[in-house]
PDB file of all heavy atoms in Angstrom:
ATOM      1  N   LEU A 303      96.192 109.425  83.049  1.00 98.00           N
ATOM      2  CA  LEU A 303      95.767 110.152  84.239  1.00 98.00           C
ATOM      3  C   LEU A 303      96.969 110.683  84.998  1.00 98.00           C
ATOM      4  O   LEU A 303      96.993 111.864  85.451  1.00 98.00           O
ATOM      5  CB  LEU A 303      94.927 109.258  85.148  1.00 98.00           C
ATOM      6  CG  LEU A 303      94.497 109.838  86.487  1.00 98.00           C
ATOM      7  CD1 LEU A 303      93.529 111.003  86.276  1.00 98.00           C
ATOM      8  CD2 LEU A 303      93.839 108.752  87.356  1.00 98.00           C
ATOM      9  N   PHE A 304      98.005 109.863  85.131  1.00 98.00           N
ATOM     10  CA  PHE A 304      99.176 110.320  85.884  1.00 98.00           C
ATOM     11  C   PHE A 304      99.830 111.506  85.199  1.00 98.00           C
ATOM     12  O   PHE A 304     100.138 112.511  85.860  1.00 98.00           O
ATOM     13  CB  PHE A 304     100.197 109.176  86.015  1.00 98.00           C
ATOM     14  CG  PHE A 304     101.525 109.649  86.518  1.00 98.00           C
ATOM     15  CD1 PHE A 304     101.670 110.048  87.844  1.00 98.00           C
ATOM     16  CD2 PHE A 304     102.639 109.751  85.675  1.00 98.00           C
ATOM     17  CE1 PHE A 304     102.889 110.547  88.319  1.00 98.00           C
ATOM     18  CE2 PHE A 304     103.850 110.219  86.138  1.00 98.00           C
ATOM     19  CZ  PHE A 304     103.967 110.613  87.484  1.00 98.00           C
ATOM     20  N   VAL A 305     100.079 111.423  83.914  1.00 98.00           N
ATOM     21  CA  VAL A 305     100.740 112.538  83.198  1.00 98.00           C
ATOM     22  C   VAL A 305      99.906 113.824  83.313  1.00 98.00           C
ATOM     23  O   VAL A 305     100.433 114.899  83.623  1.00 98.00           O
ATOM     24  CB  VAL A 305     100.977 112.165  81.736  1.00 98.00           C
ATOM     25  CG1 VAL A 305     101.507 113.372  80.955  1.00 98.00           C
ATOM     26  CG2 VAL A 305     101.957 111.012  81.621  1.00 98.00           C
ATOM     27  N   GLY A 306      98.605 113.706  83.060  1.00 98.00           N
ATOM     28  CA  GLY A 306      97.743 114.875  83.090  1.00 98.00           C
ATOM     29  C   GLY A 306      97.665 115.524  84.458  1.00 98.00           C
ATOM     30  O   GLY A 306      97.783 116.752  84.599  1.00 98.00           O
ATOM     31  N   MET A 307      97.489 114.688  85.486  1.00 98.00           N
ATOM     32  CA  MET A 307      97.319 115.258  86.839  1.00 98.00           C
ATOM     33  C   MET A 307      98.650 115.696  87.450  1.00 98.00           C
ATOM     34  O   MET A 307      98.685 116.657  88.213  1.00 98.00           O
ATOM     35  CB  MET A 307      96.649 114.207  87.734  1.00 98.00           C
ATOM     36  CG  MET A 307      95.171 113.978  87.394  1.00 98.00           C
ATOM     37  SD  MET A 307      94.196 115.523  87.389  1.00 98.00           S
ATOM     38  CE  MET A 307      94.350 116.039  89.101  1.00 98.00           C
ATOM     39  N   PHE A 308      99.741 115.045  87.097  1.00 98.00           N
ATOM     40  CA  PHE A 308     101.042 115.531  87.547  1.00 98.00           C
ATOM     41  C   PHE A 308     101.327 116.922  87.006  1.00 98.00           C
ATOM     42  O   PHE A 308     101.742 117.827  87.736  1.00 98.00           O
ATOM     43  CB  PHE A 308     102.158 114.561  87.113  1.00 98.00           C
ATOM     44  CG  PHE A 308     103.537 114.982  87.575  1.00 98.00           C
ATOM     45  CD1 PHE A 308     104.010 114.562  88.803  1.00 98.00           C
ATOM     46  CD2 PHE A 308     104.334 115.790  86.794  1.00 98.00           C
ATOM     47  CE1 PHE A 308     105.286 114.957  89.237  1.00 98.00           C
ATOM     48  CE2 PHE A 308     105.600 116.177  87.205  1.00 98.00           C
ATOM     49  CZ  PHE A 308     106.058 115.754  88.428  1.00 98.00           C
ATOM     50  N   THR A 309     101.050 117.110  85.721  1.00 97.00           N
ATOM     51  CA  THR A 309     101.265 118.403  85.090  1.00 97.00           C
ATOM     52  C   THR A 309     100.359 119.454  85.705  1.00 97.00           C
ATOM     53  O   THR A 309     100.782 120.601  85.975  1.00 97.00           O
ATOM     54  CB  THR A 309     100.996 118.305  83.583  1.00 97.00           C
ATOM     55  OG1 THR A 309     101.859 117.281  83.030  1.00 97.00           O
ATOM     56  CG2 THR A 309     101.282 119.626  82.895  1.00 97.00           C
ATOM     57  N   LEU A 310      99.103 119.093  85.950  1.00 97.00           N
ATOM     58  CA  LEU A 310      98.147 120.032  86.500  1.00 97.00           C
ATOM     59  C   LEU A 310      98.521 120.440  87.920  1.00 97.00           C
ATOM     60  O   LEU A 310      98.519 121.628  88.274  1.00 97.00           O
ATOM     61  CB  LEU A 310      96.750 119.413  86.482  1.00 97.00           C
ATOM     62  CG  LEU A 310      95.582 120.293  86.938  1.00 97.00           C
ATOM     63  CD1 LEU A 310      95.433 121.493  86.001  1.00 97.00           C
ATOM     64  CD2 LEU A 310      94.295 119.481  87.014  1.00 97.00           C
ATOM     65  N   THR A 311      98.874 119.475  88.773  1.00 97.00           N
ATOM     66  CA  THR A 311      99.189 119.777  90.167  1.00 97.00           C
ATOM     67  C   THR A 311     100.464 120.632  90.266  1.00 97.00           C
ATOM     68  O   THR A 311     100.536 121.575  91.071  1.00 97.00           O
ATOM     69  CB  THR A 311      99.330 118.514  91.013  1.00 97.00           C
ATOM     70  OG1 THR A 311     100.306 117.646  90.384  1.00 97.00           O
ATOM     71  CG2 THR A 311      98.009 117.782  91.129  1.00 97.00           C
ATOM     72  N   GLN A 312     101.452 120.300  89.455  1.00 95.00           N
ATOM     73  CA  GLN A 312     102.735 121.021  89.544  1.00 95.00           C
ATOM     74  C   GLN A 312     102.639 122.419  88.932  1.00 95.00           C
ATOM     75  O   GLN A 312     103.140 123.387  89.516  1.00 95.00           O
ATOM     76  CB  GLN A 312     103.824 120.232  88.833  1.00 95.00           C
ATOM     77  CG  GLN A 312     104.184 118.900  89.511  1.00 95.00           C
ATOM     78  CD  GLN A 312     105.077 119.078  90.728  1.00 95.00           C
ATOM     79  OE1 GLN A 312     105.736 120.102  90.891  1.00 95.00           O
ATOM     80  NE2 GLN A 312     105.048 118.103  91.587  1.00 95.00           N
ATOM     81  N   ASN A 313     102.038 122.531  87.771  1.00 93.00           N
ATOM     82  CA  ASN A 313     102.098 123.768  87.006  1.00 93.00           C
ATOM     83  C   ASN A 313     100.952 124.734  87.235  1.00 93.00           C
ATOM     84  O   ASN A 313     101.133 125.941  87.196  1.00 93.00           O
ATOM     85  CB  ASN A 313     102.197 123.456  85.516  1.00 93.00           C
ATOM     86  CG  ASN A 313     103.447 122.651  85.159  1.00 93.00           C
ATOM     87  OD1 ASN A 313     104.389 122.582  85.942  1.00 93.00           O
ATOM     88  ND2 ASN A 313     103.444 122.055  83.981  1.00 93.00           N
TER      89      ASN A 313
END
Side-chain angles (χ1 to χ4, degrees):
L303 176 66
F304 169 71
V305 173
M307 290 305 298
F308 181 89
T309 303
L310 185 64
T311 54
Q312 292 283 340
N313 299 343

